[in-house]
């Protein structure tokens, strides 16, 4: 406050000094009326490791990783081409990235973004739990607040903690096919992410200076070099993270950090396999996508079985026809006619929103050849429909770049063999960097459009 | 009082940046709440959101803290160190504690993260998505956990042997 200002009333001056806001009586009274047991709880926190340094280490790790999880999550929404109304939830108003054409190159783009989103999301679980452990005494602080500012900040922390736990829980349940929550996963996870992100931005804006100060190197206090026996509590901090009556250390700070890092490493080892091919895939031992999908050219993961999609053998037999709609023209082809066209082979990943992916060798007709055949060599988009009778993903709209990429195929064969029924026989779409569910299986017709 | 910032600090309890940042946070949240209010399952979402916090803070944390306290009791590491600053037996007891703690935490972590698969939830969704039958991985989890405890025990024995050798030498 500038020196020229008139002296503030005594009440205000005291308010600034002892941290009580207005109405002071309320906050002071709250402070005085300690519920039974509050002191015992305060004295009960014993770990000498708790303090600004440890909290800041976990905070720094999360500050470096969470933005990646958030951005890859938003990119994955964009990969579904929301402008065609086919990203879920469909109605998100301004809470999304600006529309842009999801690229087809590099072909492993979606594999990378979604693999990172799910993989990193799993790997940081121990860090999140450790961070919460380090600050949990704050939850039982008395008084819970000394001003309106603190009430609001605590409310934002509820959004922060609820947000991260909600996102972790729904995400983990989704990739393991346990829809026990009884609401739409896409809606909940997407909007949950925004609530969490907003609370995270607020938390970082308010706490970043604290973190920087706590992590500033200090001579003689290098926590990562201090063994257990020399581990001491930090000096009392303004946030009250350091316990009033610390017990003896049972582990050093570096030991605690190593323990949390080890947990992350263990999860990484048990997760990365779902994005690898070959024998290493089985290392995802506790995840659905680390399981043996069977042998042979069609022995790789699917995301929907022919039985679940209601595809009958009669639908895919000799009577099957592919219908192409173009500029004023309709072309009908059977599988023999498609096989008689120029065939192209491409090695492309199929990557799922659940984070798993696999690279296979696909053979079929280029989508751009089919577009030309339908009289629309330069389409603005292509609408692909499956023979599936139900399901959110029985149709998909492809952008122009996705139709025209030389590796974008209506695949008829994979790894030198006909597609199996579960992989979309008689024909399926495969497009570089396109989310797996938009690589429509059991294709019935394709509508090449010129009007976007 | 002339300085509005000082006045804000005295009444509200923090500066203008605090107001602005939290306002932004609550505007986004408020918008999401308005958007979701029309959903039939909005209450369930709220229940899970708050339930996740309650589960972590009032169930998971107390449970693992209590288990750790029990472990410290069993290994007699709960009390303050001897005046001598910790003798050899104290070191061994702490090592035992930590070599149980680490694999126990890892096993607990794996259980939480892979819970649906371990218990075989969502068998029907699983079949539709993979064309395979869901086989609960509980035994696999037990195997992984067993290996972790074993590795930790072997490491403890090696440490203990090295301490003994160094004490004799």
């Amino acid at each position: 406050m500038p020196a020229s200002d008139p002296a503030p009333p005594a009440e205000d001056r005291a308010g600034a000094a002892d941290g009580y806001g207005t109405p002071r009586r309320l906050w002071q009274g709250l402070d005085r009326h300690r519920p039974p047991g509050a002191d015992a709880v305060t004295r009960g926190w014993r770990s000498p490791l708790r303090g600004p340094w440890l909290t800041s280490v976990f905070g720094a790790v999360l500050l470096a990783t969470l933005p990646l999880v958030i951005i890859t999550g938003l990119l994955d929404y964009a990969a579904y081409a929301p402008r065609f109304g086919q990203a879920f939830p469909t109605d998100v108003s301004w809470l999304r990235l600006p529309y842009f054409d999801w690229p087809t190159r590099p072909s492993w783009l979606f594999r990378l973004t979604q693999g990172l989103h799910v993989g990193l999301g799993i790997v940081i679980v121990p860090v999140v739990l450790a961070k919460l452990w380090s600050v949990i005494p704050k939850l039982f602080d008395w008084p819970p607040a000394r001003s309106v500012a603190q009430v609001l900040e605590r409310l934002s922390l509820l959004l922060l903690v609820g947000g991260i736990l909600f996102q972790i829980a729904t995400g983990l349940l989704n990739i393991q096919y346990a829809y026990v929550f009884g609401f739409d996963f896409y809606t909940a996870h997407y909007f949950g992410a925004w609530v969490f992100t907003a609370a995270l931005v607020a938390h970082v804006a308010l706490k970043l200076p604290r973190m920087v100060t706590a992590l500033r190197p200090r001579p003689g206090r290098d926590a990562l070099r201090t063994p257990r026996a020399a581990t001491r509590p930090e000096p009392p901090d303004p946030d009250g993270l350091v316990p009033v009556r610390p017990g003896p250390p049972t582990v050093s700070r570096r030991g605690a950090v190593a323990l949390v890092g080890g947990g992350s490493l263990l999860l990484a080892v048990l997760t990365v396999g779902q994005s690898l091919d070959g024998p290493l895939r089985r290392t995802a031992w506790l995840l659905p996508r680390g399981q043996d999908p069977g042998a042979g050219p069609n022995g790789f993961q699917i995301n929907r079985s022919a039985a679940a999609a209601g595809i009958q053998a009669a639908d895919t037999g000799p009577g099957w026809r592919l219908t192409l709609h173009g500029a004023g023209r309709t072309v009908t082809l059977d599988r023999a006619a498609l096989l008689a066209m120029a065939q192209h082979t491409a090695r492309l990943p199929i990557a799922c929103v659940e984070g798993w992916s696999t690279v296979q060798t696909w053979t079929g007709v280029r989508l751009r050849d089919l577009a030309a055949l339908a009289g629309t060599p330069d389409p603005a988009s292509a609408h692909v429909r499956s023979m599936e009778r139900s399901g959110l993903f029985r149709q998909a709209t492809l952008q122009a770049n996705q139709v025209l990429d030389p590796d974008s195929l209506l695949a008829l064969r994979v790894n030198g063999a006909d597609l199996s029924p579960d992989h979309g026989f008689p024909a399926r779409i495969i497009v570089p960097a396109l989310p797996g569910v938009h690589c429509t299986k059991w294709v019935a017709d394709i509508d090449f459009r010129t009007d976007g | 009082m002339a300085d509005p910032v000082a006045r804000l600090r005295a009444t509200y309890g923090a500066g203008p940046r605090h107001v602005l940042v939290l306002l932004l946070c609550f505007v986004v949240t408020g918008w999401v709440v308005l958007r979701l209010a029309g959903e039939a399952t909005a209450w369930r979402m709220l229940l899970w959101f708050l339930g996740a916090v309650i589960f972590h803070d009032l169930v998971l944390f107390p449970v693992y803290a209590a288990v750790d306290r029990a472990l410290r009791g069993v290994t007699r590491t709960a009390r303050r160190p001897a005046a001598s600053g910790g003798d050899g037996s104290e070191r061994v007891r702490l090592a035992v504690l930590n070599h149980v703690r680490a694999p126990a935490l890892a096993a607990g972590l794996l259980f939480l993260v892979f819970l649906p698969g371990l218990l075989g939830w969502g068998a029907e969704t699983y079949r539709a998505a993979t064309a395979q039958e869901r086989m609960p991985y509980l035994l696999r989890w037990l195997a992984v956990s067993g290996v972790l405890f074993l590795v930790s025990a072997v490491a403890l024995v090696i440490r203990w042997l090295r301490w003994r050798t160094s004490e004799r030498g």
Side-chain angles (χ1 to χ4, degrees), chain B residues 39-63:
Chain B
E39 302 271 334
T41 52
W43 284 110
R44 264 176 183 272
M45 293 185 201
L46 183 66
L47 195 70
W48 271 71
F49 193 95
L50 298 176
V53 181
I54 291 169
F55 173 77
H56 174 271
D57 291 354
L58 301 180
V59 180
L60 184 63
F61 169 73
V63 164

Side-chain angles (χ1 to χ4, degrees), chain A residues 21-22 91 93-94 133 147 149 153 162-163 176 181 202 205 228 246 248 250 259 285 291-292 302-305, chain B residues 6 11-12 17-18 21 26 31 35 44 49 53 64 80-81 94 98 101 105 113-114 128-129 132 134 137 140:
Chain A
T22 310
D91 174 22
S93 189
W94 49 280
W133 172 84
S147 62
E153 193 172 333
Q176 295 175 85
F181 34 70
R228 179 197 55 79
T250 55
L259 191 65
W285 212 42
Q291 311 316 309
D292 184 3
I302 60 164
N303 80 327
R304 195 171 195 211
S305 70
Chain B
T11 52
Y12 169 73
R17 198 172 60 131
H18 195 276
V21 154
F26 294 134
W31 194 91
R35 163 65 182 75
R44 264 176 183 272
F49 193 95
V53 181
Y64 76 69
R80 302 204 157 256
L94 276 173
N98 287 329
R101 261 179 177 173
L105 268 176
V113 169
F114 299 115
Q132 293 176 332
R134 176 151 238 174
Y137 305 144
R140 293 184 178 195

Side-chain angles (χ1 to χ4, degrees), chain A residues 34 54 56 76 119 152 154-155 182 184 186 190 203 219 244 267 274-275 282 339 343 360 363 370 377 390 410 451:
Chain A
R34 296 178 71 81
L54 195 65
S56 298
D76 295 329
L152 292 181
R154 296 205 87 161
L155 194 61
D184 178 54
Y186 304 106
Y190 192 84
H203 189 60
V244 188
L267 287 175
Q274 67 169 349
S275 304
R282 301 298 297 276
L339 282 166
Q343 301 290 302
Q360 305 295 335
T363 304
L370 293 175
S390 65
L410 180 73
D451 54 358

